[in-house]
Amino acid sequence: MGELFDDVVTICPGMVLLPGFADSQALDVEIKAIREVSPLRRMQTMRGFLMSVQTTSCGQVGWVADRQGYRYEALDPLTGNAWPAMPPSFLKLSSSAAHRAGFADFLPDSCLINHYEPGTQMGAHQDKDEVDFDSPIVSVSLGIGARFFVVGPERKGKTTAVDLSDGDVVVFGGPARQYYHGVRKLKPANHPHFGPVRWNLTFRKAR
Ligand code: MD3
Ligand code: FE
């Protein structure tokens, strides 16, 4: 296990866990408003399969996946309109979490919102659709718990498991920014506020 001091856990170089750092119910109010403008949808893989995770975005750009590939776009392809603006509380949370993890002045321009139900999973992948790899990615987990895994710079190999609970924030920077990672198939559970659902927000500097 990593080094523990205060409420900052270093899992490996560049990967910092802030347990319970986020006020998940306050974030949920913002997610509801975002979903009314840009609803959840299942994106397509390059091979034409639907992903099991449902997504939407907010910020200046949003993450888009279809048979053409994966990228960030200023307009939501579902509505034809701009993505909803990043709520100020999202910006404050993500930049203060990054600051606690050692990244000053993190200013994300996009937040990808992932929605998981029991059975949803995310295979090992790298996040490489962003222009700026010096900026970290800040991840916020809400609702029921999930087992997150990190592999490393190669797709295959020994994995490190991290169980993420409601309110947990993880900052991925430095070497960990390029690591392969994913989420194990979500087990059925119930959260008193969110029900049988998990949300994950990832804050990114995409452009
Ligand atoms: C490590 N989401 O949206 S968040 C994703 O729980 C994604 O929804 C997962 O992976 C989720 O791309 C995991 C943790 C995470 C996010 C980005 C990373 C870990 C990362 C980028 C580089 C390395
Ligand atoms: Fe990812």
Side-chain angles (χ1 to χ4, degrees):
M1 267 317 201
E3 208 178 23
L4 180 72
F5 50 98
D6 248 24
D7 48 355
V8 181
V9 183
T10 301
I11 294 160
C12 64
M15 188 169 159
V16 175
L17 170 64
L18 308 171
F21 188 79
D23 175 353
S24 63
Q25 295 194 30
L27 297 172
D28 190 38
V29 174
E30 303 291 0
I31 294 171
K32 285 198 170 84
I34 291 164
R35 290 172 63 187
E36 284 176 19
V37 178
S38 282
L40 288 173
R41 82 293 304 270
R42 287 194 167 86
M43 296 284 186
Q44 249 185 351
T45 67
M46 299 244 275
R47 296 181 169 221
F49 296 105
L50 286 182
M51 297 180 182
S52 69
V53 61
Q54 297 185 69
T55 65
T56 187
S57 285
C58 65
Q60 288 154 253
V61 291
W63 187 75
V64 171
D66 58 25
R67 297 211 64 166
Q68 272 64 56
Y70 309 144
R71 62 203 174 271
Y72 288 90
E73 287 189 347
L75 301 182
D76 176 352
L78 191 64
T79 65
N81 300 321
W83 297 97
M86 181 103 65
S89 63
F90 277 30
L91 273 178
K92 273 181 212 137
L93 168 70
S94 57
S95 61
S96 67
H99 192 265
R100 284 290 281 273
F103 297 91
D105 308 318
F106 176 55
L107 192 64
D109 56 10
S110 185
C111 173
L112 174 62
I113 300 173
N114 291 330
H115 173 95
Y116 295 78
E117 291 166 350
T120 304
Q121 59 187 322
M122 190 178 282
H125 67 279
Q126 287 175 302
D127 288 31
K128 52 184 185 188
D129 305 318
E130 303 77 23
V131 169
D132 179 8
F133 293 109
D134 294 332
S135 287
I137 288 182
V138 174
S139 153
V140 182
S141 292
L142 321 176
I144 66 174
R147 175 156 284 187
F148 167 79
F149 67 92
V150 195
V151 196
E154 315 287 341
R155 183 186 287 278
K156 297 243 158 86
K158 214 172 83 66
T159 62
T160 301
V162 184
D163 289 319
L164 295 176
S165 309
D166 184 57
D168 288 351
V169 177
V170 190
V171 180
F172 301 86
R177 175 66 184 76
Q178 313 252 37
Y179 285 1
Y180 280 88
H181 59 276
V183 180
R184 300 292 181 207
K185 189 177 283 195
L186 202 73
K187 293 203 173 110
N190 189 66
H191 184 276
H193 176 79
F194 290 92
V197 165
R198 172 178 189 254
W199 295 90
N200 182 265
L201 312 180
T202 45
F203 294 91
R204 300 137 185 275
K205 176 129 184 54
R207 288 187 167 168

